[in-house]
Amino acid sequence: MPPPSTRVQLLDAAEHLFAERGFRGTSVRAITDRAGANLAAVGYHFGSKAELLAAVIRRVVEPINAAQNAGLDRLLARTPDPSVTDLVEAFAGPLFDEMPVGDEGGARTSRLIVTILGDPAEEMRAWTGPAEDTIRDRFLAAFGRALPGLSPEELWFRVRGILAVTAVDRVQAYQQDAPSGLSPVAGDAARQWAITFLAAALSAPPTGSRS
Amino acid sequence: MPPPSTRVQLLDAAEHLFAERGFRGTSVRAITDRAGANLAAVGYHFGSKAELLAAVIRRVVEPINAAQNAGLDRLLARTPDPSVTDLVEAFAGPLFDEMPVGDEGGARTSRLIVTILGDPAEEMRAWTGPAEDTIRDRFLAAFGRALPGLSPEELWFRVRGILAVTAVDRVQAYQQDAPSGLSPVAGDAARQWAITFLAAALSAPPTGSRS
DNA sequence: GTCTATAGAACGATAGAC
DNA sequence: GTCTATCGTTCTATAGAC
């Protein structure tokens, strides 16, 4: 693996710009300028702009995946049936922790993730692979055991809610649209608030059940 | 107000295409083609592509705003301190109900909203006005009364969670990434699930409080 | 109010010298 | 591995005829 090469600087620049302006809003010229590289460097190192995007996403997502898997392993080694709160923490925690240094409290990376999830362009969702499916299925199974009585569909709805809250929320916090008089959200507080919020949400009785 | 004019057909076409491909992914040509209008029509009727977007957003958002306001009025007329569930319903319900006919169960409009909220482009967030601020503040105040003991910051975090869950969730449901073996989510079920999920989340004890 | 025609700029990709 | 130069495309916006 080469030293702080052009390749890495392109990845850094692209990650920043894709997060800030989206895929289509970022030109190859803007990336190479920021990276201090030549316009042709993207083609040489990655083949195309879309393949550069895929490399950026993989670099961001892989440590999150690994931490989610490791967290679940640790939990299951302790007890076969972890609590909902522990599962939420294992799933959502890495979305807060596994952010590169230099990121403004992870907000920029969160924004990249939201940009990816929300972008209707096909390039944006072409990167998911078997690793993502495996993690999803493992957590779904664990949540299913912790929350019997929930239909698979409603369970899936709730698990998706975890991603929605963790990702979207911090992006909006990063933007300017907070009511006046509120102090900006610290990263640590948001992490705890999210887990409180989500653990309660996941633990709600099934819709339609008698109270 | 003129009949089903070119202007309206441009709005319809633009709404569809912005939702499907994003703002930057949609060309003025694609819009005018779909509307059966001339390329110059966007400039004539709206001034620019960005102003057309603003008009599209306003048309989608205004009935939602109105329904949220009316719902809160109705609630407050009945009791000065509505329950958390009632407030969630009044806030989130219109996000499910106030969708134009012809929309695939509201999924397309949800996608437009996510495209707006998630898009880093400035044009996408330049449309908010005093109406949005007023509604937000009214609901914040009502939730604050229903949830004493919650700091304003954590309350704001939770209220933002409502929008995150309702909008993002249905977009992901609309996309292809559900685990195999799960039936697609019906709109009515999602509405109920979301309210269950969010009412429990909002009602969680403040983070850090003793159980 | 609708059209043609085009200006003017930006884009992604790549050929080929070094 | 890095660079210059450029090709071919696509874009928004607008001038001006009808």
Side-chain angles (χ1 to χ4, degrees):
Chain A
M1 195 173 293
S5 56
T6 298
R7 191 191 158 83
V8 173
Q9 288 190 281
L10 285 173
L11 285 169
D12 290 342
E15 180 179 322
H16 187 102
L17 291 170
F18 286 151
E20 205 113 304
R21 312 187 200 168
F23 178 69
R24 291 188 152 109
T26 302
S27 68
V28 174
R29 282 169 173 81
I31 296 167
T32 52
D33 281 359
R34 179 174 236 268
N38 186 270
L39 173 59
V42 165
Y44 177 78
H45 286 283
F46 298 95
S48 72
K49 184 186 172 186
E51 288 168 284
L52 170 57
L53 170 70
V56 166
I57 295 175
R58 247 184 290 280
R59 195 176 62 155
V60 167
V61 162
E62 258 157 23
I64 295 175
N65 283 350
Q68 286 177 324
N69 257 326
L72 187 52
D73 286 343
R74 224 176 305 121
L75 232 46
L76 292 176
R78 212 193 308 145
T79 161
D81 290 296
S83 72
V84 171
T85 300
D86 284 345
L87 287 170
V88 166
E89 160 105 38
F91 189 88
L95 294 168
F96 288 86
D97 304 333
E98 297 302 319
M99 302 290 182
V101 279
D103 197 331
E104 298 95 4
R108 214 196 60 226
T109 302
S110 293
R111 187 174 216 178
L112 176 65
I113 292 176
V114 170
T115 301
I116 294 162
L117 293 178
D119 198 305
E122 290 142 25
E123 297 99 326
M124 287 300 200
R125 250 159 296 105
W127 57 271
T128 40
E132 284 75 25
D133 290 347
T134 303
I135 292 169
R136 186 193 61 193
D137 291 343
R138 290 190 71 198
F139 272 97
L140 267 181
F143 274 116
R145 277 193 304 276
L147 296 163
L150 219 55
S151 71
E153 282 82 9
E154 188 168 7
L155 176 65
W156 173 232
F157 176 97
R158 292 189 186 181
V159 171
R160 272 183 296 139
I162 302 177
L163 199 56
V165 169
T166 52
V168 169
D169 195 276
R170 300 175 70 205
V171 172
Q172 292 195 322
Y174 183 56
Q175 286 160 186
Q176 70 287 358
D177 50 358
S180 57
L182 285 191
S183 35
V185 178
D188 286 356
R191 194 195 135 107
Q192 286 312 309
W193 293 344
I195 290 170
T196 303
F197 182 96
L198 291 168
L202 269 286
S203 305
T207 298
S209 68
R210 306 147 189 275
S211 58
Chain B
M1 195 174 295
S5 56
T6 298
R7 190 192 158 83
V8 173
Q9 288 191 280
L10 285 173
L11 284 169
D12 291 342
E15 181 179 322
H16 188 102
L17 291 169
F18 286 150
E20 203 113 304
R21 313 186 199 170
F23 178 68
R24 291 189 152 110
T26 302
S27 68
V28 175
R29 281 171 173 80
I31 295 167
T32 51
D33 282 359
R34 180 174 236 268
N38 186 269
L39 173 60
V42 165
Y44 177 78
H45 286 283
F46 298 95
S48 71
K49 182 187 172 185
E51 288 168 284
L52 170 56
L53 171 70
V56 166
I57 295 175
R58 248 183 289 278
R59 196 177 61 155
V60 168
V61 163
E62 258 158 24
I64 294 175
N65 283 350
Q68 285 178 325
N69 256 327
L72 186 53
D73 286 342
R74 225 175 305 122
L75 232 46
L76 292 176
R78 212 192 309 145
T79 159
D81 290 296
S83 72
V84 171
T85 300
D86 283 345
L87 287 169
V88 167
E89 161 105 39
F91 189 88
L95 294 168
F96 288 86
D97 304 333
E98 296 302 320
M99 302 291 181
V101 277
D103 197 330
E104 299 96 4
R108 214 195 61 225
T109 302
S110 292
R111 187 173 215 174
L112 177 65
I113 293 176
V114 169
T115 300
I116 295 161
L117 294 178
D119 197 304
E122 289 141 25
E123 298 99 327
M124 286 299 201
R125 250 160 297 104
W127 57 270
T128 40
E132 283 76 25
D133 290 348
T134 303
I135 292 169
R136 186 194 62 193
D137 291 343
R138 290 189 71 200
F139 273 97
L140 266 180
F143 274 116
R145 277 192 304 275
L147 296 163
L150 219 56
S151 72
E153 283 82 9
E154 189 168 6
L155 176 65
W156 173 232
F157 176 96
R158 293 190 185 181
V159 170
R160 274 183 295 138
I162 302 177
L163 199 56
V165 169
T166 51
V168 169
D169 194 277
R170 301 174 71 204
V171 171
Q172 292 196 323
Y174 183 56
Q175 286 163 181
Q176 72 286 358
D177 51 358
S180 58
L182 286 190
S183 36
V185 178
D188 286 357
R191 194 195 137 107
Q192 286 312 308
W193 293 344
I195 290 170
T196 304
F197 182 97
L198 291 168
L202 269 288
S203 305
T207 298
S209 68
R210 304 149 190 275
S211 60

